[in-house]
């Protein structure tokens, strides 16, 4: 059984794709749990696998508890990436993926830490979606609003290939709704975004891509909207409210556990309630 999508994704190998991607995530989480040295490239690949696994698992109706357990340790991978030695400059694409994953897992601390990284300004049209997201996470609405203006102009009058504008469609409206805390505009932008994603995944090739199942940029923006009191409406194909609710509750519990472990690590007397100083 698979969930219905308007663009009719190719499901022939969905189960195998889920198994492979979930296995890669499990291996990466195990490496972090064992304290092994991780490379930022490997963590980045594991996060890509996480979103793939979540998408194919959601499509094939894997139990929500199983998907939530997969997402639960995701913030640990984000923190591992932040703490690992960086042999190259941090890119906006890295930051966008990390922030989106931390938000998905319900770890606002890891998301804010990532959004505060020093990165070059956008040099390509597609990078303005990351600028909008990170500005919102940092609660820098001035920067986010400037990014929204740029996204709006890119979509209205593309300066590069028209397909780039198609991939950015309605993210300006979604970000703007989050800035203004406008529930009606928020719901309308999510639904419009879902329709745009469906249009992009109606060819034989794109119907096999997980990006047509879950839109991680829209999900990240939706998470920021939730933090600001907005509600994800039901029925948005690429931002499913039921899935977000399931994985978020597990992630928040994991985030609290991580903070507790950090306190025990840094406060020698924490077990007895005694703090230094």
């Amino acid at each position: 059984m698979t969930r219905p999508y308007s663009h009719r994704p190719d499901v022939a190998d969905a189960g195998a794709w889920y198994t492979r991607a979930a296995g890669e995530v499990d291996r990466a989480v195990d490496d972090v749990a064992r304290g092994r040295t991780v490379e930022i490239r490997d963590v980045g690949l594991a996060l890509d696998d996480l979103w793939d696994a979540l998408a194919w698992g959601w499509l094939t109706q894997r139990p929500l508890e199983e998907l939530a357990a997969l997402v639960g340790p995701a913030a640990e991978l984000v923190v591992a990436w932040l703490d690992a030695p960086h042999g190259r400059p941090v890119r906006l694409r890295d930051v966008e993926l990390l922030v989106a994953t931390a938000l998905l897992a319900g770890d606002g601390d890891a998301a804010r830490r990532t959004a505060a990284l020093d990165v070059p300004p956008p040099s390509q049209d597609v990078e303005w979606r990351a600028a909008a997201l990170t500005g919102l996470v940092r609660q820098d609405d001035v920067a986010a609003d400037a990014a929204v203006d740029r996204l709006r102009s890119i979509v209205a009058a593309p300066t590069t290939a028209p397909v780039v504008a198609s991939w950015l469609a309605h993210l300006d409206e979604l970000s703007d709704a989050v800035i203004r805390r406008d529930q009606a505009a928020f719901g309308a932008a999510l639904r419009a975004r879902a329709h745009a994603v469906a249009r992009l995944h109606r060819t034989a090739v794109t119907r096999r891509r997980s990006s047509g199942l879950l839109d991680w940029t829209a999900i990240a923006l939706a998470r920021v909207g939730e933090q600001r009191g907005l509600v994800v409406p039901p029925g948005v194909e690429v931002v499913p409210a039921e899935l977000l609710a399931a994985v978020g509750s597990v992630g928040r519990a994991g985030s609290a556990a991580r903070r507790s472990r950090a306190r025990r690590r840094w406060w020698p007397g924490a077990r007895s309630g005694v703090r230094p100083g």
Side-chain angles (χ1 to χ4, degrees):
M1 292 290 292
T2 57
R3 298 183 191 276
Y5 274 81
S6 58
H7 68 282
R8 298 182 181 179
D10 186 339
V11 301
D13 297 312
W17 290 336
Y18 169 78
T19 300
R20 185 209 64 78
E24 293 298 326
V25 175
D26 286 341
R27 277 188 282 276
V29 170
D30 184 60
D31 284 344
V32 171
R34 293 174 182 272
R36 295 171 180 164
T37 302
V38 297
E39 300 289 338
I40 61 171
R41 177 182 178 276
D42 293 336
V43 175
L45 291 172
L47 296 183
D48 283 332
D49 284 326
L50 171 69
W51 285 93
D52 280 346
L54 191 63
W56 296 119
W58 172 252
L59 173 68
T60 55
Q61 300 194 51
R62 306 292 297 194
L64 283 175
E65 296 81 3
E66 180 180 326
L67 298 180
L70 186 68
V71 174
E76 300 280 5
L77 294 176
V78 174
V79 173
W81 189 98
L82 290 166
D83 292 342
H86 288 198
R88 59 168 174 76
V90 178
R91 302 171 301 190
L92 264 172
R93 198 272 177 183
D94 297 325
V95 170
E96 184 183 14
L97 177 62
L98 291 160
V99 168
T101 304
L103 290 171
L104 172 72
D107 194 326
D109 291 340
R112 286 186 290 273
R113 181 181 168 194
T114 307
L117 290 172
D118 185 21
V119 294
S123 60
Q124 302 178 45
D125 286 348
V126 72
E127 292 179 335
W128 284 99
R129 66 183 190 182
L133 174 61
T134 55
L136 287 168
V137 172
R138 296 194 311 270
Q139 298 187 354
D140 184 350
D141 285 1
V142 173
D145 197 47
V148 167
D149 286 343
R150 187 62 181 266
L151 284 169
R152 188 177 293 120
S153 66
I154 291 168
V155 172
T159 57
T160 56
V163 70
V164 174
S166 298
W167 278 104
L168 298 175
H170 306 292
L171 293 177
D172 58 328
E173 299 164 12
L174 181 55
S175 301
D176 184 60
V178 173
I179 293 171
R180 295 186 291 110
R181 293 175 168 82
D182 186 329
Q183 179 64 49
F186 182 67
L190 283 171
R191 287 187 286 271
R193 177 64 180 171
H195 291 314
V197 171
R199 286 194 298 272
L200 287 165
H201 290 83
R202 286 176 177 163
T203 69
V205 172
T206 56
R207 287 173 62 236
R208 294 169 61 86
R209 294 179 181 171
S210 64
S211 54
L213 306 174
L214 297 179
D215 180 6
W216 53 273
T217 302
I219 285 174
L221 291 169
R223 278 287 199 231
V224 180
E226 289 178 330
Q227 293 172 357
R228 297 187 178 202
L230 300 174
V231 178
V232 176
V236 179
E237 287 182 345
V238 294
V239 187
E242 181 186 5
L243 177 63
L244 266 61
V247 301
S249 60
V250 171
R252 284 188 291 273
S255 179
R258 282 188 293 278
R259 287 193 294 272
S260 176
R261 289 196 297 271
R263 284 195 295 270
R264 288 196 295 271
R265 193 158 51 242
W266 294 108
W267 304 340
R271 291 181 184 274
S272 61
V274 178
R275 298 190 185 190

